[in-house]
Amino acid sequence: MSLFISDAVAAAGAPAGQSSPYSLVIMLVVFGLIFYFMILRPQQKRGKEHKKLMESIGKGDEVLTNGGLIGRVAKVSETGYIVIALNETTEVTIKRDYVTAVLPKGTMKAL
């Protein structure tokens, strides 16, 4: 007599119907496909769009940063940094990767 298994369950033995050994493989493949199409593929697509955005930034563009700063690009360096003019007197140097969006012309004046 076992403390964890009742006598009726222990007397029944192994289950009568065994599942196919391929069902586990098929289930793992289905979960892998769901993972790919729901998580990996959209993330890769966003990464490509962000990379294209980073390459298109030029002098005079109005940009929004991750920190919420809105400014006009004053200088673009080849090392991956850009200088953003927040107003006539204030300039900030940030890494190009921290730009979230390129805004339409005239956005700064509208604010």
Side-chain angles (χ1 to χ4, degrees):
M1 183 164 176
S2 175
L3 296 174
F4 299 109
I5 301 174
S6 69
D7 292 332
V9 174
Q18 292 285 330
S19 63
S20 170
Y22 297 112
S23 65
L24 179 63
V25 174
I26 291 171
M27 186 175 60
L28 288 174
V29 168
V30 168
F31 283 137
L33 289 173
I34 290 171
F35 181 75
Y36 175 75
F37 283 108
M38 297 292 286
I39 297 172
L40 289 178
R41 191 167 180 222
Q43 183 65 30
Q44 289 173 347
K45 191 174 185 180
R46 280 191 296 268
K48 285 180 184 178
E49 290 173 0
H50 188 70
K51 186 176 180 181
K52 189 187 303 182
L53 174 73
M54 295 302 103
E55 293 171 355
S56 71
I57 294 175
K59 185 176 179 180
D61 289 340
E62 294 181 6
V63 295
L64 172 67
T65 67
N66 285 344
L69 297 176
I70 295 176
R72 184 171 286 111
V73 177
K75 181 180 169 186
V76 178
S77 69
E78 297 298 324
T79 60
Y81 290 91
I82 59 175
V83 176
I84 296 178
L86 302 177
N87 55 28
E88 291 78 25
T89 58
T90 308
E91 290 186 345
V92 178
T93 302
I94 65 166
K95 201 167 180 186
R96 186 183 284 212
D97 297 338
Y98 291 113
V99 172
T100 304
V102 175
L103 302 173
K105 300 284 184 189
T107 302
M108 288 180 63
K109 289 183 181 180
L111 298 175

